[in-house]
Amino acid sequence: NTPYDSGTEYEEGTWTPVLKSGSTTITRSGGNESATYTRIGNMVTIQWSFRDITTAGSFENAATTVTGLPFTSATAKLAHGSVFSIYGNTSFSAIPHFTRINNGTTVVDVESQSATTYGSPEIDAVGSGTYGGFQITYWI
């Protein structure tokens, strides 16, 4: 007995998130990480959480993104997800940020919003003791 139509594709797995500051990859080591996905038909839910990791690398004065999604998002389907939480060795954690996937991509944009504009938060420090994560469901 499955909670979905037996003709619907169902898949669970892991994916490899790549945290980026502009075009520069921020590496991670140590601690605990979990990056999973569940696909039911043409909807995919991804999750990424990390605890007590060490981040390293140079950061740019540019937007923060997460690449490496397990499936390309559908065209004409914008997806918003949970708040991207990150705290530790960065002032990036000062305000809440939300996750968004533009249509036709495998990139999660991390954004903030004021009363009138969207912004792209920037990673401004790396180091030990970093925690965070997010979840988002999108169409493929």
Side-chain angles (χ1 to χ4, degrees):
N1 293 332
T2 57
Y4 58 92
D5 177 5
S6 62
T8 300
E9 183 166 345
Y10 180 88
E11 179 181 342
E12 293 180 344
T14 59
W15 62 289
T16 305
V18 179
L19 181 61
K20 295 198 165 238
S21 173
S23 62
T24 303
T25 298
I26 303 298
T27 61
R28 304 176 313 275
S29 61
N32 297 312
E33 278 193 74
S34 171
T36 62
Y37 72 87
T38 301
R39 175 186 177 180
I40 301 174
N42 61 354
M43 291 191 68
V44 177
T45 298
I46 59 169
Q47 169 276 330
W48 179 34
S49 61
F50 46 93
R51 186 175 153 263
D52 199 22
I53 64 169
T54 298
T55 55
S58 59
F59 41 90
E60 299 177 20
N61 184 16
T64 300
T65 59
V66 178
T67 64
L69 297 177
F71 302 95
T72 301
S73 65
T75 57
K77 300 276 188 177
L78 177 67
H80 284 107
S82 70
V83 169
F84 180 80
S85 301
I86 186 169
Y87 63 94
N89 193 7
T90 179
S91 67
F92 186 77
S93 58
I95 58 174
H97 308 287
F98 65 91
T99 53
R100 178 175 63 92
I101 301 173
N102 278 319
N103 61 71
T105 71
T106 58
V107 178
V108 175
D109 294 318
V110 178
E111 297 186 345
S112 59
Q113 183 179 9
S114 68
T116 57
T117 60
Y118 289 103
S120 297
E122 301 168 1
I123 295 172
D124 63 357
V126 292
S128 62
T130 304
Y131 298 76
F134 68 91
Q135 177 178 309
I136 189 169
T137 299
Y138 66 103
W139 297 90
I140 58 172

